[in-house]
Amino acid sequence: MTHAANTTQQIVYLTTHDITWINTTVTGRPNHFDWVKLEAAMAAQYQYGETRDIVDQAAGLLNALLLQPPWRVGRRRTALIAITTFLTANGVQWTATPEILASRVAGVASHQLGARQALSQILEGGTFGPPPDESLRQVIADQCAALADSLISLAEGD
């Protein structure tokens, strides 16, 4: 799978508001958060420089949300939906099952896997195509619906 975004396509990034909305959606309530850690997670998508490697950018986001979580509640669920939304919004399609997605996110959270390794496993056999023709909030809602079982499995101890 080619990991670089199409050079003519603008990369879609999640804002701090998008990530907060994801956390509220997956936990069912607003939660207190550390603003500095939330800003760092949002900035991690950019890889602090010029890059068009969507997978590396997703890995940065995953690491930040799991290893320096802005919230005490919902960090794994928020990370799952944030990375799948980021990838989907940028045209990345994967074949990994919801169970594999959840287990890889849990593996990174427990320090059993690196974020880049987890994403490589999730994206094995995936493709890079056009982004969806819908709003980012709709992509988030679609990811929450499609990965409902993963969210349930990640909720325990989250």
Side-chain angles (χ1 to χ4, degrees):
M1 174 181 185
T2 301
H3 302 295
N6 181 328
T7 57
T8 61
Q9 176 184 321
Q10 185 163 352
I11 297 174
V12 176
Y13 294 101
L14 301 177
T15 66
T16 54
H17 297 283
D18 295 325
I19 299 168
T20 301
W21 192 68
I22 291 169
N23 179 264
T24 301
T25 300
V26 300
T27 63
R29 64 187 168 96
N31 296 290
H32 294 285
F33 60 89
D34 181 317
W35 182 255
V36 173
K37 290 178 180 179
L38 177 60
E39 283 280 315
M42 183 275 304
Q45 299 167 92
Y46 295 92
Q47 293 292 300
Y48 302 104
E50 219 175 292
T51 181
R52 296 193 62 78
D53 189 321
I54 298 298
V55 178
D56 277 346
Q57 292 170 298
L61 178 61
L62 183 60
N63 264 332
L65 289 172
L66 291 175
L67 305 181
Q68 294 293 322
W71 294 272
R72 292 185 182 163
V73 177
R75 74 183 175 118
R76 295 184 307 172
R77 291 173 284 165
T78 300
L80 173 67
I81 299 302
I83 64 159
T84 59
T85 297
F86 177 77
L87 292 168
T88 299
N90 286 293
V92 179
Q93 300 156 354
W94 58 88
T95 58
T97 65
E99 294 80 17
I100 289 175
L101 286 164
S103 72
R104 297 316 180 261
V105 167
V108 175
S110 66
H111 304 279
Q112 301 298 311
L113 285 174
R116 183 73 163 121
Q117 179 185 13
L119 282 163
S120 290
Q121 293 173 7
I122 289 168
L123 298 173
E124 188 174 327
T127 60
F128 194 78
D133 187 27
E134 57 190 2
S135 71
L136 193 57
R137 290 291 168 101
Q138 187 59 53
V139 173
I140 293 168
D142 293 347
Q143 292 302 308
C144 287
L147 299 173
D149 289 341
S150 297
L151 293 173
I152 291 167
S153 72
L154 288 172
E156 188 175 323
D158 192 23

